[in-house]
Amino acid sequence: MNEIKKVSAEDRCPGMSYTEMLEGDTRTPPDYLFEETVLEMPDDPLPVEPYISEDFAKLEREKLWPNVWMFAAREDEMPDPGDTVVYEIAGKSFLLIRQKDGGVKAFYNACLHRGRKLRTEGGNSIQLRCPFHGFTWRNDGTLKEIPSEWDFKHLKDKNMCLPEARVELWQGFVIVTENHDLPDFRTWLGPAASHYERYDFENRYTGMWVQKRIPANWKATAEAFMEAWHSITTHPQLLPFLGDANTRYDHIGDHFNRAITPSGVLSPHMKGKDSDYVLEKMNEFSGGADADTNRRFAASDEPVEGYEPADPLGARKVLAEAGRQGFAEQYGYDYSDASDSEILDNFTYNIFPNFAPWIGFLPTLVYRWLPGDTPDWCIMEIRLLFPTPKGEERPRAVEMTYIPDDEPFSWAADIMGPQLANVFDQDMSNLPHVQTGMKSMKEGMMELGHYQDSRVRHFQTTLKKYIDGELPKTA
């Protein structure tokens, strides 16, 4: 096992550390869950300009988005030859097409005649025919037909193939970049790429998918999900079974950071409750209409051998065993070697700049944040990726549900589950006022916590490297 970096208790919330929880696991967790990587960063205040300035948004469009790998689609959205997905980001549109050989190409979604988008929505394609004048390309991007060809003799010897962005397929995700000189995606991401291999992400499917317009900058919205300590005020209903202040924060390289928040334990902010209380509250949260979509699950009525209510990890052991049995029945796989942590915990993994695919054995959340055409709004996308049951063909992704701008997440409670929708509505109750509040700050500077806000600082540090031209580093 990799050497564990011991951290002074003075730098963390008093109480049991996440490493100590891993050491008390009923199974052996993977080494990468033990690895604690905290970069030394200053405590200087951060400016609010990047969140509210159109000039800064322009710099992002010029220096950031064309130079990073981006999550454009899941393969289960486009399983068959000719299937297309329209991916739009920062004012640009890309047309992804599944090829006959199983690969995916990403074309700049514009006709080379007058610039009209070739497609405005996904679907299966026999060919790409511009709706304006009828210029037509094959699905591989080669030119098929020019109407009134007699008037375009000057194009006879010119390359009229559709220009392409670069595409890689990774763990069922379709990843694209405009920069053809970047290292391959796994190298660009770094060691965290290997963390996904244990969970068969390539064979997962999108079983829940919603989008909503948020009246806040994409970075402010993303950063709301980079720390767990807002739970004490924003999500108090989670404290009986969520170790919010026990969360581990890690930074690995420029393009990855994570928060690991333990579940099935009492928040350090609560005192005088045992594991029976944790189980009771976890079951209350997990029951009823959320059974199919929630990331939680109820404990079995059968007692776990050796369970002691006074054991602070007792509820974790009960819930993890219930999860192993429940997942085995539901999906047909053997989870007997899965650690308690991999069954229970919240692995909020962030891939720079706007992509958060969680890991673990249970249905996993994926977030994506898409910038608006002004700094004051963005689109937040939430998916749940479900394991494909053993022996079955991976289902096609469900259709995306767009939540109306004047409706809360609870509008989609029948899709998301009421408890999960409520958690996101609690988050959204803050964000519009974060955006307007930043504009009201007299000095225009934010003071961050040293540890619990460290992922925000790490993210902003990498962003500044792109804006200042220190990144990208090419292959």
Side-chain angles (χ1 to χ4, degrees):
M1 180 177 292
N2 293 329
E3 182 179 354
I4 300 170
K5 178 183 176 182
K6 295 294 185 182
V7 180
S8 169
E10 295 179 0
D11 296 332
R12 302 293 183 267
C13 174
M16 184 177 293
S17 70
Y18 187 67
T19 296
E20 290 171 326
M21 293 184 193
L22 292 175
E23 292 170 342
D25 206 299
T26 63
R27 311 290 193 274
T28 302
D31 286 0
Y32 51 77
L33 296 186
F34 284 92
E35 295 167 358
E36 186 162 0
T37 308
V38 182
L39 298 180
E40 285 301 320
M41 294 179 287
D43 290 324
D44 300 339
L46 292 181
V48 299
E49 180 187 9
Y51 305 88
I52 62 178
S53 164
E54 172 54 35
D55 288 341
F56 196 92
K58 184 173 183 289
L59 289 173
E60 291 178 350
R61 292 191 291 269
E62 293 174 356
K63 296 188 174 186
L64 173 68
W65 299 111
N67 291 305
V68 294
W69 284 104
M70 300 176 288
F71 161 41
R74 280 287 298 176
E75 289 196 66
D76 55 294
E77 295 175 59
M78 46 189 314
D80 301 324
D83 283 349
T84 67
V85 169
V86 176
Y87 170 61
E88 298 189 327
I89 181 84
K92 292 186 179 179
S93 182
F94 300 92
L95 183 58
L96 283 57
I97 306 182
R98 177 74 74 174
Q99 302 295 301
K100 292 180 180 179
D101 65 0
V104 175
K105 288 180 177 286
F107 303 112
Y108 288 80
N109 187 16
C111 176
L112 298 184
H113 172 221
R114 294 280 294 279
R116 205 273 193 199
K117 285 182 180 178
L118 294 170
R119 292 186 71 111
T120 58
E121 58 185 23
N124 197 267
S125 169
I126 299 174
Q127 60 187 13
L128 303 174
R129 186 172 189 270
C130 179
F132 195 177
H133 293 88
F135 270 62
T136 304
W137 285 265
R138 301 175 184 88
N139 284 345
D140 64 1
T142 56
L143 182 66
K144 180 179 180 181
E145 178 187 1
I146 297 179
S148 297
E149 191 169 7
W150 56 267
D151 201 25
F152 293 89
K153 294 184 179 68
H154 54 287
L155 298 181
K156 182 178 179 181
D157 296 321
K158 188 171 184 177
N159 180 6
M160 290 293 289
C161 293
L162 292 173
E164 295 183 44
R166 186 174 162 199
V167 178
E168 289 192 12
L169 304 180
W170 173 76
Q171 297 294 337
F173 296 100
V174 182
I175 313 291
V176 304
T177 183
E178 293 189 73
N179 190 330
H180 289 260
D181 295 323
L182 289 184
D184 66 272
F185 176 74
R186 288 180 60 91
T187 301
W188 183 86
L189 175 57
S194 65
H195 297 191
Y196 292 81
E197 295 170 359
R198 180 168 161 85
Y199 309 106
D200 195 20
F201 270 80
E202 191 169 340
N203 198 36
R204 295 193 176 202
Y205 69 95
T206 303
M208 187 278 287
W209 183 8
V210 298
Q211 281 188 350
K212 180 166 175 54
R213 178 180 171 127
I214 309 300
N217 186 263
W218 72 273
K219 298 180 293 297
T221 305
E223 289 167 359
F225 298 89
M226 290 186 189
E227 46 82 12
W229 71 286
H230 67 275
S231 297
I232 188 172
T233 304
T234 303
H235 310 300
Q237 79 276 16
L238 304 182
L239 300 185
F241 51 84
L242 191 74
D244 56 333
N246 302 109
T247 297
R248 156 101 65 73
Y249 300 96
D250 295 309
H251 331 106
I252 303 176
D254 287 313
H255 299 121
F256 174 81
N257 60 44
R258 70 180 178 183
I260 308 178
T261 303
S263 190
V265 292
L266 196 68
S267 166
H269 298 296
M270 300 189 72
K271 307 293 183 183
K273 304 293 184 180
D274 61 13
S275 284
D276 281 345
Y277 177 80
V278 176
L279 289 173
E280 176 188 351
K281 294 301 181 181
M282 188 82 156
N283 285 336
E284 286 179 7
F285 182 86
S286 303
D290 279 12
D292 292 334
T293 57
N294 202 346
R295 302 187 71 256
R296 312 280 182 240
F297 36 81
S300 170
D301 292 333
E302 296 296 324
V304 172
E305 184 178 352
Y307 170 71
E308 292 290 343
D311 179 1
L313 300 181
R316 278 175 69 82
K317 297 170 184 177
V318 172
L319 290 162
E321 187 56 33
R324 291 185 195 96
Q325 296 176 15
F327 294 157
E329 293 174 5
Q330 186 169 4
Y331 302 118
Y333 300 103
D334 181 5
Y335 295 95
S336 58
D337 291 334
S339 63
D340 301 347
S341 57
E342 294 171 289
I343 293 291
L344 285 173
D345 293 339
N346 301 274
F347 298 97
T348 315
Y349 276 40
N350 274 58
I351 298 174
F352 185 86
N354 65 329
F355 175 29
W358 295 25
I359 66 166
F361 282 111
L362 68 171
T364 46
L365 284 162
V366 177
Y367 304 147
R368 180 169 63 178
W369 300 276
L370 303 172
D373 58 5
T374 76
D376 290 331
W377 69 276
C378 70
I379 295 291
M380 181 168 182
E381 177 181 281
I382 305 166
R383 302 184 188 221
L384 270 174
L385 301 185
F386 290 83
T388 299
K390 189 173 183 179
E392 297 183 15
E393 184 178 348
R394 183 184 63 189
R396 182 181 284 270
V398 298
E399 293 292 325
M400 185 270 292
T401 297
Y402 186 87
I403 299 172
D405 295 349
D406 58 349
E407 296 288 352
F409 277 100
S410 58
W411 179 87
D414 59 329
I415 297 171
M416 304 177 68
Q419 299 284 23
L420 194 61
N422 179 55
V423 168
F424 285 106
D425 278 332
Q426 289 174 322
D427 288 311
M428 296 311 124
S429 69
N430 294 318
L431 286 167
H433 306 296
V434 168
Q435 190 67 16
T436 56
M438 286 189 294
K439 296 179 181 181
S440 302
M441 298 183 81
K442 182 178 179 181
E443 304 297 333
M445 304 295 286
M446 302 182 298
E447 300 285 358
L448 271 60
H450 180 75
Y451 182 63
Q452 293 184 106
D453 291 324
S454 63
R455 292 177 76 207
V456 175
R457 189 177 296 278
H458 176 255
F459 169 77
Q460 288 290 335
T461 299
T462 298
L463 176 64
K464 189 174 187 299
K465 289 180 181 180
Y466 277 90
I467 299 302
D468 291 348
E470 296 178 39
L471 291 174
K473 295 177 181 178
T474 55

